[in-house]
Amino acid sequence: SAAPHAYRNPRIAPDGRRVAVVFLDSPAQVWIYDLARGTLTRLTFPGGGVPTWTPDGSEWPFKWVTNILVTADGSSKAEQLITGRPGASATSFSPDGQLLAFVEDNPTTGADLLVLRLSDRKAQPFLRTPFGESFACFSPDGHWIAYASNESGVEEVFVRSFPGPGGKWKISTASGKFPTWSRNGREL
């Protein structure tokens, strides 16, 4: 098992062999824990954010001034994914790896959910309301997005169909955030 630290936002890789975690030790950093070998490897330096694996498990974006893409083994140069959107934070790739859900701070509506098409880097709003939405997570089949919203006065987890239209369903019973789907997509 890994050494004691203040861990946050653990994300298991699609292959089930690695876990990306954020160390809350000052300053926050993203590390990879190899479950078989029991080793920790630092991937980012100060300013890491919520790790988000691509469907093939090789890389993810994290917030570090702007959102960039970094290879999980640190072997490739960082590539900026989200530009011109202050406060943007990537949260989930679609199962086919073609779309990236992210949160954007909007001065008028607060935190909103958008989806970036990676082929042309165009972003489309998914959910823009007067409430704060965050932590969007694509379902394994790509037909749903789970997210957190404070529309009830506390953060709750909701699910909406993707790309829509459709209703929403409240999933949490007494507040919640950071939704993560089971591999089979039947549970959060």
Side-chain angles (χ1 to χ4, degrees), residues 94-166:
S94 61
D96 63 6
Q98 301 300 307
L99 303 171
L100 177 64
F102 69 97
V103 177
E104 175 183 60
D105 291 331
N106 183 305
T108 306
T109 58
D112 296 322
L113 300 181
L114 288 88
V115 175
L116 179 76
R117 195 171 48 232
L118 294 174
S119 61
D120 60 10
R121 305 287 166 89
K122 293 200 182 210
Q124 297 294 321
F126 174 69
L127 193 55
R128 185 168 279 154
T129 73
F131 307 105
E133 293 88 29
S134 57
F135 309 111
C137 185
F138 277 100
S139 64
D141 67 6
H143 295 141
W144 303 93
I145 290 183
Y147 63 95
S149 173
N150 65 2
E151 69 183 67
S152 70
V154 296
E155 287 211 271
E156 300 279 0
V157 173
F158 292 86
V159 172
R160 285 185 180 259
S161 65
F162 181 81

Side-chain angles (χ1 to χ4, degrees), residues 46-121:
V50 178
T52 305
W53 293 98
T54 56
D56 68 0
S58 64
E59 50 197 0
W60 72 85
F62 62 93
K63 188 174 181 185
W64 186 12
V65 182
T66 58
N67 277 276
I68 59 177
L69 189 68
V70 173
T71 305
D73 64 6
S75 64
S76 70
K77 185 178 178 198
E79 175 188 358
Q80 188 169 336
L81 287 179
I82 303 170
T83 59
R85 297 182 177 273
S89 182
T91 60
S92 178
F93 281 96
S94 61
D96 63 6
Q98 301 300 307
L99 303 171
L100 177 64
F102 69 97
V103 177
E104 175 183 60
D105 291 331
N106 183 305
T108 306
T109 58
D112 296 322
L113 300 181
L114 288 88
V115 175
L116 179 76
R117 195 171 48 232
L118 294 174
S119 61
D120 60 10
R121 305 287 166 89

Side-chain angles (χ1 to χ4, degrees), residues 158-178:
F158 292 86
V159 172
R160 285 185 180 259
S161 65
F162 181 81
K168 68 176 181 221
W169 292 268
K170 185 175 135 188
I171 303 301
S172 56
T173 58
S175 81
K177 60 182 176 178
F178 304 116

